[in-house]
Amino acid sequence: MDDGIFLGGGGPEYGEQQWLALKYANRHGLVAGATGTGKTVTLQILAEGFSAAGVPVFLSDVKGDLSGLAVAGSEAFKLHGAFRERADTIGFDGYAYAGFPVTFWDLFGQQGHPVRTTVAEMGPLLIARLLELTEAQEGVLNIAFRMADEEGLPLLDLKDLQALLVWVGENRKDLSLRYGNISVQSVGAIQRRLLVLDTQGGTAFFGEPALDLADLMRVGADGRGQVNILAADALMGAPRLYATVLLWLLSELFETLPEVGDPDKPKLVFFFDEAHLLFDGAPKALVNKVEQVARLIRSKGVGVYFVTQNPDDIPEDILGQLGNRVQHALRAFTARDKKALRMAAETYRPNPSFDTEVAIREVGVGEAVTSMLQKKGVPGMVERTLIRPPSSQLGPLGVADRKAVIAGSDLGAKYDAPVDRASAYEMLRDRAAKAAAEAEVAEQRAADAEMSEREAAQEYRRARRYDPTSRSTRKISTRRSSRSEPDTLGEAFGRAVIKELGGTTGRRIVRGILGGLFKAR
C-alpha cells in the first residue's frame, strides 16, 4: 500500500496487514493503553511511517525514549531476533533498520533548540489557564492586554507583563471607571503566579526569536518529513506548562495555516502525549476551544493524535472526532475501570470473530486493538493487531549522539541565542526615568526661584539702611499691606501643593509611583 502506513498484522495468525491510509490521516487519532503495554513503540513506528511518507511530525518525548528515532536500530540489540521474528510473522518483508531526520527542541534549551513565543502571541486565555487564575484575576489580565494594545506596549517576555501589571495597578482608579473593578489583591495574585512560573523555568519560554511554524513542517531533499521531538521529561515537572505549550502550538497551527481541504496526505501530524493533562481541571471555555480546533484543523491538513492511558481521559465531543485508533491493553481493577473498558469497546465497529471488550483486556505487550478509517472515511472493523517492530533505535539516544544531532542542525543559528529588544518593560522604564528627570528640573527651578527671592530681599534691606525716606516708606508699605485683600483658600492650597511637588517630598512621590519598581532591574 503505497499511500498508507504499515501498522502490523491482524486476523488469524496475524497474517492480514493493517494500514493507516494517508488520505484519512488528518482525521485525527487515538493511541491509548495502560502503562507498559507498548504505546511508546506505537508512537515511534507511526512517526517513522509518516516521515517516510514525506509528512513532518511533531511529538513530545515524555520519557526520553523517542530520541532513538534519530539513529538506525542495530543487529547487536538484544531484541534483534524478536524483531525479525515478528516481521516474518506479520509479513513485513521490507523490514530494515534506518534512522530518520530529527530536530530536537527543548523549552529550556538544554536538550534541543529553544522553543519560544511572546506573551502577546499566547494571549490572555492561555496565560490565565497556565497561571490557574480565577475569573476576576483573568478579567484583570484581559484589561492589561487591552491597555498594552492601546498604549502601544509590546508584550514579549514575562518582565514586560510584570511591568505592565505594575502600571495597571498604579492607574487602577482611572482604569476601573472604563473596564470595571481592578483590585490590588488581583494584581498581586497574578504577580505571585508569575513568580511561580518563573521558578518553574517558564521565563525561558517567553521571548524572541519566537518559533516559526514553518520550521516544524520541513521536508528533506530525500522526501522524508522532519521529525520534531520536544524534550518533555524535565517539562513534566510543570504539567500545566507542558499542556499549555502544546495547546499553544496547536492553536498557532490552526490560526496560521491556510485551508487545503482533504489533501492526499497531511501537511503535519501532531502527537499530544499525556493528553489527560490538557483537560484536567480545564474550564469549559478552554475545552470548547480545543474541540473547535480539533474539528476544523483537519481541513488545514493537520492530523492530531492524542496519546493517553484511557480513552475516558478525552472529553466525549473530542473523542468522537478521532477516527484512527490504536487501543493497547486496559486493566480493569475497579468498577470505574470496568465501566471505562466497556465504554471503550463500544466505540469500535464490532468484529464477529472476537469480543472487543475481552480483546482489549487480554492483548499482550506490543499488541493492540486497532480500527482505521477506510473508504469514504468509514471506520474499519476492529482487529487484534500485532504492532510492527521499529526501524530506528528502540530506547533513548546517547548524550554525545544527541549533541551531535543538535550541533548538525541548521536551526541553531536561528534559535539558540535569545534576543531582547525594546518592549513594554523598557518603554515603561523610560517613561519613569523621564518623569523623574522632569521632577528634578522642576525642583531645581523652584530652588533657583526661591534663591532669587532671598537675594532680592537682602538687597532691598541693605538699600533701606541708607535711604532717608525709609521710615515713611515702611509706614506706607505697612498701611498698604494691611489694606490688601487676603488670598482665597484655593490660591493658598494651590501654592502649597506646587511648593510641595517642587520640593524633595514631591520628587519622592513621583519616583515611587513611576520608577521605584524598576530600580532593582
Side-chain angles (χ1 to χ4, degrees):
M1 187 175 180
D2 295 332
D3 56 351
I5 297 174
F6 180 54
L7 297 178
E13 306 299 325
Y14 303 111
E16 299 178 3
Q17 293 188 345
Q18 304 298 309
W19 296 81
L20 168 58
L22 288 172
K23 181 178 178 61
Y24 301 115
N26 66 329
R27 303 291 181 90
H28 311 320
L30 172 71
V31 180
T35 301
T37 56
K39 295 194 303 295
T40 302
V41 175
T42 297
L43 187 54
Q44 184 170 345
I45 66 107
L46 285 172
E48 291 178 358
F50 281 118
S51 177
V55 178
V57 173
F58 181 91
L59 54 87
S60 53
D61 190 5
V62 173
K63 297 180 291 185
D65 293 341
L66 293 170
S67 58
L69 277 160
V71 297
S74 170
E75 294 183 0
F77 185 54
K78 62 182 180 180
L79 294 179
H80 170 68
F83 285 174
R84 284 295 177 185
E85 182 180 352
R86 176 170 294 195
D88 293 339
T89 300
I90 62 178
F92 193 7
D93 298 331
Y95 177 62
Y97 292 125
F100 293 83
V102 167
T103 300
F104 289 111
W105 302 91
D106 183 6
L107 199 68
F108 308 114
Q110 298 174 355
Q111 301 183 70
H113 304 302
V115 176
R116 301 186 189 92
T117 187
T118 64
V119 171
E121 286 179 344
M122 178 160 280
L125 176 62
L126 289 182
I127 291 180
R129 161 69 170 163
L130 176 60
L131 300 179
E132 302 180 73
L133 301 183
T134 65
E135 184 177 350
Q137 294 161 4
E138 184 178 351
V140 172
L141 188 65
N142 276 281
I143 294 173
F145 271 78
R146 171 67 68 85
M147 296 313 303
D149 293 338
E150 294 184 359
E151 295 288 327
L153 300 172
L155 296 177
L156 303 182
D157 50 29
L158 284 188
K159 71 178 185 295
D160 291 330
L161 182 56
Q162 291 167 331
L164 178 62
L165 287 169
V166 171
W167 185 87
V168 168
E170 292 168 349
N171 296 274
R172 63 186 181 278
K173 291 184 178 179
D174 293 335
L175 296 177
S176 294
L177 296 176
R178 296 173 57 190
Y179 301 108
N181 184 49
I182 300 174
S183 68
V184 176
Q185 291 79 6
S186 293
V187 174
I190 300 173
Q191 295 282 38
R192 288 192 297 272
R193 296 305 304 170
L194 289 173
L195 181 62
V196 172
L197 179 61
D198 186 17
T199 304
Q200 294 176 339
T203 302
F205 178 55
F206 292 102
E208 291 184 316
L211 178 65
D212 184 354
L213 295 181
D215 290 328
L216 300 180
M217 306 176 68
R218 301 195 301 173
V219 178
D222 58 358
R224 295 188 299 174
Q226 195 74 14
V227 179
N228 300 276
I229 299 179
L230 175 67
D233 46 353
L235 188 56
M236 290 303 294
R240 187 61 61 91
L241 178 59
Y242 165 77
T244 305
V245 168
L246 294 189
L247 182 56
W248 162 76
L249 272 175
L250 192 61
S251 178
E252 283 294 296
L253 289 168
F254 173 70
E255 297 291 342
T256 305
L257 297 180
E259 296 280 344
V260 295
D262 284 321
D264 294 334
K265 61 183 180 183
K267 302 296 183 183
L268 176 73
V269 170
F270 188 98
F271 289 97
F272 202 134
D273 201 0
E274 299 294 340
H276 66 279
L277 295 176
L278 174 59
F279 305 106
D280 286 348
K284 181 64 175 176
L286 183 60
V287 175
N288 290 340
K289 181 177 178 64
V290 176
E291 189 270 333
Q292 178 189 25
V293 170
R295 184 176 69 253
L296 300 178
I297 201 171
R298 72 177 185 87
S299 64
K300 301 193 174 190
V302 177
V304 182
Y305 287 70
F306 294 92
V307 184
T308 188
Q309 292 193 16
N310 198 313
D312 192 40
D313 297 332
I314 311 297
E316 186 175 355
D317 290 341
I318 298 174
L319 187 63
Q321 299 181 46
L322 310 182
N324 302 293
R325 303 191 180 193
V326 180
Q327 176 67 65
H328 289 275
L330 287 177
R331 312 304 182 197
F333 298 110
T334 66
R336 183 183 181 278
D337 293 339
K338 293 179 179 178
K339 180 180 178 181
L341 174 60
R342 183 173 63 255
M343 292 179 64
E346 291 175 352
T347 61
Y348 289 92
R349 179 182 168 188
N351 188 327
S353 301
F354 59 87
D355 185 294
T356 305
E357 183 176 345
V358 173
I360 294 175
R361 187 170 57 245
E362 293 182 351
V363 289
V365 176
E367 188 180 5
V369 171
T370 64
S371 175
M372 303 294 142
L373 295 180
Q374 297 177 343
K375 292 181 179 181
K376 298 183 180 181
V378 176
M381 187 179 298
V382 66
E383 288 286 355
R384 292 186 62 155
T385 302
L386 193 62
I387 302 299
R388 77 163 180 86
S391 298
S392 56
Q393 176 179 301
L394 183 64
L397 195 63
V399 175
D401 292 334
R402 188 185 191 110
K403 289 182 177 179
V405 173
I406 296 172
S409 171
D410 60 343
L411 295 176
K414 183 175 181 179
Y415 291 109
D416 289 354
V419 176
D420 187 13
R421 64 184 175 94
S423 51
Y425 167 73
E426 288 79 11
M427 294 172 69
L428 290 172
R429 181 193 60 191
D430 292 345
R431 288 185 187 181
K434 182 179 179 181
E438 291 175 351
E440 290 274 7
V441 171
E443 180 182 358
Q444 187 61 45
R445 287 177 178 174
D448 293 344
E450 185 176 355
M451 180 63 69
S452 298
E453 290 178 0
R454 289 177 180 175
E455 291 176 351
Q458 290 175 356
E459 289 294 330
Y460 175 72
R461 285 195 294 271
R462 291 194 201 102
R464 288 181 58 196
R465 293 174 185 172
Y466 305 101
D467 185 357
T469 64
S470 61
R471 179 179 296 273
S472 60
T473 302
R474 182 167 58 252
K475 291 179 179 179
I476 294 172
S477 175
T478 303
R479 287 195 299 270
R480 287 178 179 175
S481 175
S482 62
R483 288 196 301 269
S484 62
E485 296 181 0
D487 292 337
T488 65
L489 178 61
E491 292 173 344
F493 180 74
R495 277 204 301 272
V497 171
I498 292 172
K499 182 178 180 181
E500 187 68 16
L501 288 177
T504 304
T505 303
R507 183 176 59 184
R508 190 182 306 118
I509 292 174
V510 172
R511 285 180 176 172
I513 292 177
L514 296 176
L517 288 169
F518 298 100
K519 290 180 181 179
R521 300 185 180 277

